[in-house]
Amino acid sequence: MRVFCTLLLIALGVIPAAAQERMLTNSIGMEFVLIEPGSMVVGRFQPECPEPPDDGDQRSASLADPRREWTAEDYARCEEMVRRDARPGFTVTIDRPYYIGRYEVTQGEWERVMGTNPSIFQESRVGRDTGRHPVDNVTWEDAQAFIEKLNQMDTTAVYRLPTEFEWEYAARAGAEHDLTWAEIREQAWIQDVDKGTTHPVGEKKPNPWGLYDMLGNVWEWVQDYYNEKLFPDPVPPKTGTVHVLRGGGFLADVKNATYFTHAGGPGSGFDVGFRIVREVK
């Protein structure tokens, strides 16, 4: 019975017919990491009010603690705002494996596919070779044109942008909570680290699933339309005026350099790029 069920799942495409490689490289040198199915809670928001200072704590009493300026009414108002704004989130299940780019699409990869380079931060501006810098200054339509041409060049695979949930699932790498400031500094080129330019991909620490620059460097396009809300909906909209950007760029502050930020394009342009998915056969 177990063998029959396994064969049925293979026929339906739920389980690939052959074991998938953990990592692979395509014909133009783009590296991909296999992401296995799983679940996550999206859109959970649980703000907290500060605790009143402890008058018995001599150290606290000796400091200029801003909480001492709060009245009982202030604390009550804070609790009411927390109850109003808190969100339980919703469960998203990724039911099929997929490959996602180990890095953001680079300028060198863009040039090999498209024969051009739209980036603002090229060698003439940066003062060094930028082939390994992420391609920047690309619209969602530009990303689709790259993917269309790549699919024509490599007919052994199907490439596309990740969905917003695929992007977040890969970025979180199993995490339920946001990164600490120290972890963000280890993984992301953002405003408080360097304000000057994009950086070569892969120079920061990868996330636990081996993906680089999921946060910082350049914002990344995903497939879905933006819903004009602070958080995504359980079912992404079928239509819209702009698409979703994720991950933050090198000018992003720590608030946006998080895998929870759900932003709408077109962004600033010069700090916008993308990474792609390669479907599992």
Side-chain angles (χ1 to χ4, degrees):
M1 181 65 178
R2 180 178 298 175
V3 173
F4 171 78
C5 290
T6 300
L7 292 174
L8 177 61
L9 291 174
I10 290 173
L12 294 173
V14 176
I15 298 177
Q20 300 295 319
E21 298 179 49
R22 175 78 180 95
M23 293 183 60
L24 58 80
T25 303
N26 71 5
S27 58
I28 67 165
M30 302 178 75
E31 297 180 41
F32 294 85
V33 175
L34 180 65
I35 306 298
E36 299 285 1
S39 298
M40 62 182 174
V41 176
V42 174
R44 177 189 287 146
F45 182 57
Q46 301 292 326
E48 298 179 353
C49 283
E51 294 290 333
D54 184 357
D55 290 333
D57 185 341
Q58 295 302 314
R59 180 175 180 275
S60 176
S62 66
L63 298 176
D65 192 331
R67 295 174 300 170
R68 296 189 177 281
E69 300 177 5
W70 282 32
T71 66
E73 289 77 15
D74 292 330
Y75 282 102
R77 189 178 303 113
C78 180
E79 293 290 348
E80 175 59 30
M81 293 172 67
V82 164
R83 286 192 293 271
R84 181 194 68 193
D85 295 337
R87 296 169 179 267
F90 51 89
T91 299
V92 170
T93 298
I94 305 296
D95 56 9
R96 294 179 61 87
Y98 59 98
Y99 285 102
I100 194 167
R102 190 181 186 193
Y103 310 108
E104 295 157 330
V105 174
T106 66
Q107 293 182 32
E109 290 163 350
W110 182 280
E111 289 176 350
R112 286 194 287 277
V113 173
M114 305 297 286
T116 60
N117 188 348
S119 301
I120 300 296
F121 295 101
Q122 297 189 43
E123 183 174 357
S124 59
R125 178 182 291 265
V126 177
R128 60 176 178 267
D129 178 66
T130 55
R132 291 283 293 169
H133 283 233
V135 66
D136 64 77
N137 195 36
V138 291
T139 65
W140 187 87
E141 289 77 15
D142 292 335
Q144 296 292 344
F146 173 91
I147 291 167
E148 181 179 3
K149 193 162 185 181
L150 178 61
N151 278 315
Q152 294 170 357
M153 294 173 63
D154 182 3
T155 58
T156 66
V158 174
Y159 300 97
R160 57 177 173 82
L161 285 178
T163 68
E164 182 170 17
F165 294 149
E166 286 174 334
W167 187 97
E168 182 172 330
Y169 181 68
R172 289 168 62 167
E176 295 183 2
H177 303 288
D178 209 350
L179 298 176
T180 65
W181 170 231
E183 291 170 325
I184 291 173
R185 287 180 65 90
E186 288 180 338
Q187 295 186 25
W189 294 112
I190 59 171
Q191 184 183 68
D192 290 337
V193 177
D194 183 16
K195 300 180 180 180
T197 178
T198 60
H199 289 263
V201 298
E203 289 192 338
K204 287 286 188 174
K205 183 178 178 180
N207 77 4
W209 289 354
L211 303 172
Y212 290 85
D213 301 298
M214 293 298 295
L215 303 178
N217 221 358
V218 290
W219 288 89
E220 299 181 19
W221 289 114
V222 298
Q223 183 65 31
D224 298 306
Y225 282 105
Y226 185 53
N227 62 357
E228 307 292 341
K229 299 178 184 178
L230 187 60
F231 298 100
D233 291 319
V235 178
K238 300 289 187 186
T239 60
T241 57
V242 297
H243 291 85
V244 174
L245 285 170
R246 284 295 206 131
F250 67 90
L251 287 178
D253 58 24
V254 68
K255 176 179 68 70
N256 285 325
T258 164
Y259 38 64
F260 295 134
T261 297
H262 162 76
S268 300
F270 60 81
D271 61 350
V272 174
F274 64 109
R275 78 179 66 219
I276 60 175
V277 159
R278 173 176 166 138
E279 294 185 354
V280 168
K281 293 185 177 181

